């Protein structure tokens, strides 16, 4: 069984999208290949990006099958909400979920291709240009403050999920990997958590946190201390959860799979 939705603008791609379970492996060029696979594909309606969600744990698969919207569907919905609120993200094309015996199997999110570089690439290209970093970080901070003022929280706000768009006035940003975007009130402490995954040098991070605190009317020194305390706590909790899964859910999933 297949469930899907395709935006009106890309309705001519319906047949192409519905065939993805059979054709995806042999099409396009791979951009990302880790837990999920992201490909760039040329079509009659332009270049698109297709993300195939792989590696779902068994119990997550149950949740996505019966309790929650799939990552692909959430990405599509979130893209529309972000664009409605004035936050740039590549236009959504469609999503496709394929079920086998009632369980979610393949899941695809399709968006328009955006030609811009990621913030990770841009920073690497300018790693020794302090003046440039000052400018780009200032624009990034303005972008983050805007997200939070609109009650938007990207739970995977990393350098690879932020696209940099040069403009006549400086830089704008577009965000991708949208299934983990949340819509909720952002407290100052919650907002600090949005910096956890940026993976920039400590000195640069401290400057960014201090500037965020100033714009939020908070103490810069206290903000830096709170940020690093929460970062260490989050990292330790993540390690604990991985160990816990390794010795509890993973063996059970392996039994279910017959391994």
């Amino acid at each position: 069984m297949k469930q899907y939705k395709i935006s009106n603008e890309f309705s001519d791609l319906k047949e192409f999208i519905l065939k993805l379970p059979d054709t995806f492996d042999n099409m396009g060029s791979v951009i990302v290949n880790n837990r999920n696979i992201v490909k760039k594909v040329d079509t009659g309606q332009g270049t698109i990006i297709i993300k195939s969600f792989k590696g779902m744990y068994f119990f997550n698969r149950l949740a996505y099958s019966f309790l929650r919207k799939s990552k692909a569907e959430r990405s599509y919905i979130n893209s529309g909400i972000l664009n409605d609120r004035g936050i740039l993200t590549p236009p959504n094309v469609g999503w496709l979920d394929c079920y086998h015996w009632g369980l979610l199997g393949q899941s695809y999110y399709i968006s328009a291709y955006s030609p811009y570089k990621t913030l990770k690439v841009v920073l690497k290209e300018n790693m020794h240009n302090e003046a440039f970093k000052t400018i780009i970080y200032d624009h990034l901070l303005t972008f983050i403050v805007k997200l939070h003022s609109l009650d938007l929280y990207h739970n995977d706000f990393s350098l690879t999920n932020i696209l940099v768009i040069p403009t006549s006035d400086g830089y704008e940003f577009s965000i991708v990997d949208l299934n983990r975007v949340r819509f909720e009130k952002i407290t100052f402490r919650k907002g600090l958590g949005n910096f956890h995954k940026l993976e920039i040098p400590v000195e640069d991070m401290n400057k960014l946190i201090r500037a965020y605190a100033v714009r939020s009317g908070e103490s810069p020194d206290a903000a830096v201390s709170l940020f690093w305390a929460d970062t260490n706590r989050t990292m330790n909790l993540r390690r604990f959860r991985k160990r816990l899964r390794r010795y509890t859910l993973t063996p059970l999933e392996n039994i279910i799979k017959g391994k």
Side-chain angles (χ1 to χ4, degrees):
M1 181 182 72
K2 295 178 180 178
Q3 294 184 356
Y4 65 93
K5 185 170 184 178
I6 301 169
S7 67
N8 293 334
E9 183 181 352
F10 295 93
S11 58
D12 289 347
L13 291 177
K14 177 180 177 180
E15 184 176 351
F16 171 88
I17 290 173
L18 292 179
K19 290 181 178 179
L20 283 177
D22 299 318
T23 60
F24 179 77
D25 289 343
N26 299 313
M27 67 167 58
S29 57
V30 176
I31 297 177
V32 176
N33 187 2
N34 44 39
R35 185 175 179 183
N36 301 307
I37 300 176
V38 180
K39 286 189 173 185
K40 175 183 173 183
V41 180
D42 293 323
T43 74
Q45 283 196 273
T47 304
I48 60 174
I49 295 295
I50 306 174
K51 183 172 185 178
S52 173
F53 291 96
K54 302 281 188 179
M56 286 181 286
Y57 298 120
F58 176 76
F59 294 104
N60 282 346
R61 192 181 300 276
L62 288 177
Y64 291 131
S65 299
F66 303 110
L67 303 175
R68 304 173 61 187
K69 297 183 186 301
S70 72
K71 294 180 180 181
E73 184 178 0
R74 288 210 313 271
S75 296
Y76 182 95
I77 293 172
N78 290 346
S79 174
I81 295 174
L82 288 170
N83 279 307
D84 287 344
R85 296 191 184 185
I87 301 300
L88 297 177
T89 185
N92 54 22
V93 174
W95 61 270
L96 171 67
D97 289 339
C98 302
Y99 293 82
H100 309 281
W101 301 101
L103 294 180
L104 180 63
Q106 298 101 321
S107 185
Y108 305 91
Y109 171 61
I110 306 98
S111 66
Y113 170 68
S114 180
Y116 301 105
K117 297 178 181 178
T118 66
L119 183 53
K120 181 176 183 178
V121 170
V122 170
L123 287 175
K124 184 177 181 180
E125 291 176 346
N126 297 274
M127 67 174 64
H128 300 303
N129 187 337
E130 294 301 322
F132 172 82
K133 289 201 298 182
T134 297
I135 294 171
I136 199 77
Y137 284 145
D138 184 65
H139 282 84
L140 178 63
L141 180 60
T142 298
F143 180 64
I144 294 172
V145 170
K146 180 180 180 180
L147 289 177
H148 294 173
S149 70
L150 294 172
D151 302 330
L152 300 176
Y153 189 90
H154 195 314
N155 214 25
D156 197 4
F157 196 68
S158 65
L159 299 180
T160 55
N161 288 334
I162 305 169
L163 305 181
V164 181
I165 305 173
T167 69
S168 59
D169 298 324
Y171 300 92
E172 291 185 352
F173 301 93
S174 174
I175 52 177
V176 297
D177 201 3
L178 306 179
N179 65 284
R180 299 188 68 189
V181 171
R182 301 291 180 263
F183 306 95
E184 58 192 31
K185 291 292 182 182
I186 312 299
T187 64
F188 176 68
R189 187 168 188 174
K190 178 76 173 179
L192 286 178
N194 231 169
F195 296 81
H196 285 319
K197 296 183 179 180
L198 287 180
E199 295 184 343
I200 60 178
V202 172
E203 183 178 350
D204 293 345
M205 180 64 80
N206 287 343
K207 290 179 181 179
L208 203 55
I209 294 300
R210 288 177 178 276
Y212 181 74
V214 170
R215 294 203 190 186
S216 303
E218 302 287 342
S219 164
D221 289 341
V224 170
S225 298
L226 180 60
F227 170 78
W228 289 112
D230 282 353
T231 297
N232 291 332
R233 187 180 301 109
T234 298
M235 291 175 61
N236 290 333
L237 181 59
R238 187 176 294 120
R239 293 191 192 102
F240 172 75
R241 287 174 174 171
K242 286 184 178 179
R243 288 196 297 267
L244 183 63
R245 164 169 280 279
R246 186 185 308 155
Y247 295 109
T248 55
L249 292 180
T250 299
L252 182 57
E253 289 171 339
N254 289 337
I255 292 174
I256 293 173
K257 294 177 182 178
K259 292 185 178 180

